[in-house]
């Protein structure tokens, strides 16, 4: 056994064989030429020799060679003690690898600038600004609100949420995923109530973050999330097909889908609507293909290029397409009053608050998880990010603006532009504010059909049709949940559809966790029933059928073996115990009942005997032994010790 500092240790690995070697003064050590452990240190900052230059190879000077001529395992130890290695050389001055001298290992952070690359952050902020500008306006128009409110929400998402801690690189603002919900809220409760609903949702998000429920939103089934996004994207595409042709959408998602053939016919009859539709379709095609353009031109945001083309076409003589109507940014601010806050007593308004909270929080935290996979920097602090989103929505609600969430398009643009800190996303909000204040007339030149085309492309990405066959191949049960969630959202509303999807996901999980294996057979005068797995009320019909089958066998002995059942709920337990009691009461059947984890269950037949010992639980400790011969282990470890320098 090797010892160090008079503390016994268990011999393991390559140190389990061979003569003891010392370290320090008189204590056994590894290697021969190592300096004394715990000797006096020279003053800090003294000159160090080259790193590793004056030290011998690991184990090279040991006498005899490490592992050589070792006695067979179990043989008597040698009569004479092994020769002691030579005295170690004096410890060199300085602090070795951690010293500040010439040959030491470099300190953490050496060779790096250690500061923020402000030029890269500013460039990234401009890229995010160019992506966010058309999206902010397009989301606001599609939500049935003035375009200025979308810009205000974008500014808050940059200056307020962007400056807060949480996720370093994801960018927040008005999102296409909430377009249908905002439009439904504005239609039902009015624009004035939108601010109160968003403000209350923000306060609720802050509370959820403070009580550390941020990660709770990650416990939602992926199939429900993808179904929710698809259920948002499909109605968004059809609803934006109408402004893409300078028309007005009929209303509900089902009405928009049903009226689409008539929209196509009406568009082709009017040359001006045909031009508008052409601009919108060109925007959609450009959004898909622009990333394939080579060179630096391809790095420009496709939405910005489409807006530029749309402005140029709209300026041509004879072209009369609808453009944005942009007013004063500050005049569009509507601070909620007492009458609006009194509306929180309405159950429908409280339902809208809950819906906004759940959807906005889930979308932001799912986006954070996606953004974390795009870079190798600091990970998202989910509770802090949820608080930041809540503060942003509180400010947006106070200003009467749209709700904000994290947006994948802006966040990915931020990461791809080389941003490393919160500076870029904060500055993009400043550029939005400056553009809206200094160049408002430019916004009035943008065709509405172009912005609708941008949102149709966003709706297609939310729909992600390729995910449906992929989910079908991976898990058909989850495919059913995903499809059901999508159809429910389209057919009803966002909240109802998500609740239906969550319920379907819970039912699927319960069915899969209630997998019970029931096997019945007869052996001589005994009818056996063996159960394994999770026996819950969902499998009660299967259990009853098996019990009736062994009762009908007519055997004088029945053996019920449940020792392999990992979970037995009250319904199944009651059914089995009642069955055993009824059979015993008949006086002609002997019943042996072996319950899981019980030596002798109450009421069991005295002649049945004790149940088998349960299998080791999750706290059981297992010890894996190396069965190789000692000589083989010793030889392999000796080669390793001789080939690796210390």
């Amino acid at each position: 056994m090797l010892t160090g500092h008079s503390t016994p240790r268990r011999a393991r690995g390559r140190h389990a064989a061979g003569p003891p070697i010392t370290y320090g003064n008189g204590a056994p050590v590894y290697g021969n030429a190592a300096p004394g452990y715990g000797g006096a240190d020279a003053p800090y900052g003294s000159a160090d020799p080259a790193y590793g230059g004056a030290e011998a190879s690991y184990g090279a000077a040991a006498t005899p060679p490490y592992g050589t001529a070792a006695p067979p395992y179990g043989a008597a130890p040698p009569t004479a003690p092994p020769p002691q290695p030579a005295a170690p050389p004096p410890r060199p001055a300085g602090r070795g690898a951690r010293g500040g001298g010439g040959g030491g290992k470099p300190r953490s952070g050496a060779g790096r600038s250690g500061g923020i690359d402000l030029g890269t952050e500013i460039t990234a902020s401009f890229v995010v600004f160019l992506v966010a500008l058309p999206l902010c306006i397009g989301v606001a128009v599609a939500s049935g609100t003035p375009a200025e409110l979308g810009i205000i929400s974008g500014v808050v998402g940059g200056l307020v949420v962007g400056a807060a801690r949480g996720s370093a690189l994801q960018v927040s603002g008005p999102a296409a995923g909430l377009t249908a919900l905002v439009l439904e809220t504005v239609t039902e409760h009015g624009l004035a109530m939108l601010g109160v609903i968003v403000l209350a949702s923000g306060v609720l998000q802050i509370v959820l973050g403070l009580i550390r429920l941020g990660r709770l939103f990650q416990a939602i089934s992926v199939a429900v999330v993808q179904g929710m996004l698809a259920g948002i994207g499909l109605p968004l595409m059809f609803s934006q097909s109408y402004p893409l042709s300078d028309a007005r959408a009929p209303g509900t998602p089902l009405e928009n889908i049903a009226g689409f053939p008539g929209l196509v016919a009406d568009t082709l009859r009017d040359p001006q609507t045909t031009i508008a539709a052409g601009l919108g379709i060109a925007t959609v095609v450009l959004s898909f293909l622009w990333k394939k353009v080579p060179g630096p031109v391809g790095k420009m945001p496709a939405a910005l290029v489409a807006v530029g083309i749309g402005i140029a076409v709209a300026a041509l003589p004879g072209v009369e397409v609808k453009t944005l109507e942009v007013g004063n940014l500050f005049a569009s601010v509507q601070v909620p009053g007492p009458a609006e806050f009194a509306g929180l007593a309405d159950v429908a308004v409280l339902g809208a608050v809950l819906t906004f909270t759940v959807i906005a929080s889930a979308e932001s935290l799912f986006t954070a998880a996606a953004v974390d996979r795009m870079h190798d920097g600091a990970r998202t602090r989910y509770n802090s990010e949820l608080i930041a989103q809540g503060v942003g929505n509180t400010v947006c609600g106070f200003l009467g603006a749209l709700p904000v969430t994290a947006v994948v398009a802006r966040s990915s643009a931020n990461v791809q532009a080389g941003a490393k800190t919160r500076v870029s996303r904060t500055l993009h909000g400043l550029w939005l504010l400056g553009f809206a204040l200094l160049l408002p007339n430019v916004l009035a030149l943008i065709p509405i059909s172009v912005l609708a085309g941008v949102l149709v492309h966003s709706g297609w990405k939310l729909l992600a049709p390729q995910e449906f066959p992929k989910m079908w191949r991976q898990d058909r049960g989850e495919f059913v949940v995903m499809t059901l969630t999508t159809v429910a959202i389209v057919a009803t509303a966002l909240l109802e559809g998500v609740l239906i999807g969550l319920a379907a996901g819970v039912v699927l999980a319960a069915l899969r966790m209630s997998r019970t294996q029931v096997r019945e057979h007869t052996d001589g005068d005994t009818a056996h029933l063996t159960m394994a797995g999770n026996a819950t009320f969902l499998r009660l019909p299967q259990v009853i059928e098996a019990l009736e089958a062994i009762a009908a066998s007519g055997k004088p002995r029945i053996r019920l073996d449940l020792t392999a059942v990992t979970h037995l709920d009250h319904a199944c337990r009651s059914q089995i115990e009642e069955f055993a009691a009824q059979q015993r009461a008949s006086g002609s059947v002997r019943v042996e009942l072996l319950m899981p984890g019980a030596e002798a269950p109450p009421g069991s037949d005295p002649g049945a005997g004790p149940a088998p010992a349960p299998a080791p639980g999750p706290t059981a400790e297992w010890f894996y032994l190396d069965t190789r011969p000692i000589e083989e282990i010793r030889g392999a470890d000796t080669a390793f010790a001789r080939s690796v320098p210390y």
Side-chain angles (χ1 to χ4, degrees), residues 78-148:
T79 56
Q84 296 295 326
R91 183 180 178 88
R95 297 181 66 88
R98 290 189 289 177
K105 188 178 292 185
R107 295 180 181 272
S108 176
R112 296 183 299 181
S113 60
I116 300 174
D117 188 349
L118 193 57
T120 301
E121 299 294 328
I122 293 176
T123 302
S125 69
F126 273 112
V127 173
V128 177
F129 158 71
L130 296 176
V131 174
L133 179 61
L135 286 176
C136 289
I137 300 173
V139 169
V141 174
S143 303
T145 62
E148 302 85 20

Side-chain angles (χ1 to χ4, degrees), residues 311-340:
I311 291 176
V313 173
L316 295 176
V319 177
E320 298 178 359
V321 296
K322 294 182 179 179
T323 58
L324 286 175
E325 297 179 0
V326 183
N328 190 315
L329 194 66
F330 294 110
S332 62
V333 174
Q334 299 181 5
V335 179
E340 286 75 23

Side-chain angles (χ1 to χ4, degrees), residues 134 244 276-290 302-310 447-458:
L244 185 142
L279 286 174
I281 295 173
T283 301
V284 176
V285 174
L286 196 65
S287 299
F288 282 108
L289 300 180
W290 186 255
L304 181 66
V305 177
V307 167
I309 295 174
I448 292 178
S449 60
V450 172
L451 299 178
V454 172
L455 290 176
V456 168
H457 176 254
S458 298

Side-chain angles (χ1 to χ4, degrees), residues 14-31:
R14 61 172 174 267
H15 307 304
I21 43 184
T22 60
Y23 65 98
N25 296 326
V29 296
Y30 307 122

Side-chain angles (χ1 to χ4, degrees), residues 275-542:
I275 294 174
L279 286 174
I281 295 173
T283 301
V284 176
V285 174
L286 196 65
S287 299
F288 282 108
L289 300 180
W290 186 255
K291 59 183 178 182
K292 298 181 180 179
V293 175
V297 179
K299 296 182 180 180
M300 296 181 61
L304 181 66
V305 177
V307 167
I309 295 174
I311 291 176
V313 173
L316 295 176
V319 177
E320 298 178 359
V321 296
K322 294 182 179 179
T323 58
L324 286 175
E325 297 179 0
V326 183
N328 190 315
L329 194 66
F330 294 110
S332 62
V333 174
Q334 299 181 5
V335 179
E340 286 75 23
F341 281 103
L344 290 174
D346 188 352
V347 176
V349 173
L350 293 178
V353 170
L354 181 61
T355 305
F356 271 101
T357 303
V358 173
I359 302 302
S361 302
E363 186 170 347
S364 295
L365 298 182
F366 292 144
T367 301
V371 174
D372 281 347
R373 292 192 292 267
M374 298 179 187
H375 65 91
D376 56 357
R379 304 293 94 180
T380 298
R381 301 178 181 179
Y382 285 89
N383 294 308
S384 299
E385 179 63 20
L386 187 57
I387 294 174
Q389 296 291 335
V391 172
N393 278 318
T394 303
V395 175
C396 286
F398 181 77
L399 299 176
L402 302 180
V404 296
T405 67
V407 186
V408 175
R410 303 173 205 180
S411 302
S412 60
N414 191 36
V415 174
Q416 294 168 5
K420 300 296 182 184
T421 67
R422 299 192 298 268
V423 173
S424 61
R425 66 178 190 175
T426 305
L427 286 178
H428 109 275
L430 185 62
W431 308 143
L432 282 174
L433 179 61
F435 189 91
L437 293 178
L438 301 178
L439 299 172
N441 295 331
V442 177
L443 301 178
L445 302 176
I446 301 176
I448 292 178
S449 60
V450 172
L451 299 178
V454 172
L455 290 176
V456 168
H457 176 254
S458 298
W460 177 268
K461 293 195 297 183
L462 289 171
L463 176 61
Q466 72 278 2
E467 294 296 329
F468 286 86
K470 181 180 177 182
M471 184 66 76
W472 173 263
R473 292 190 300 268
Q474 293 178 348
D475 191 323
R476 296 188 178 183
E478 296 288 347
F479 170 83
V480 173
V481 174
M482 179 178 175
T483 305
L484 180 62
T485 304
T486 302
V487 173
I489 291 175
V490 174
T492 58
L494 187 59
L495 178 60
E496 289 84 348
V498 170
L499 292 178
I500 292 173
L502 289 174
V506 170
V507 171
L508 177 64
L511 288 174
R512 288 182 169 176
M513 293 182 64
S514 298
R515 289 178 176 172
T516 308
Q517 293 80 39
V518 181
R519 186 170 61 90
E520 55 196 69
H521 68 284
T522 58
D523 182 13
D525 65 345
T526 305
H528 295 266
L529 186 144
T530 305
M531 292 178 56
N534 296 321
T536 67
F537 68 95
L538 295 174
R539 300 298 180 184
L540 194 56
Q542 180 184 5

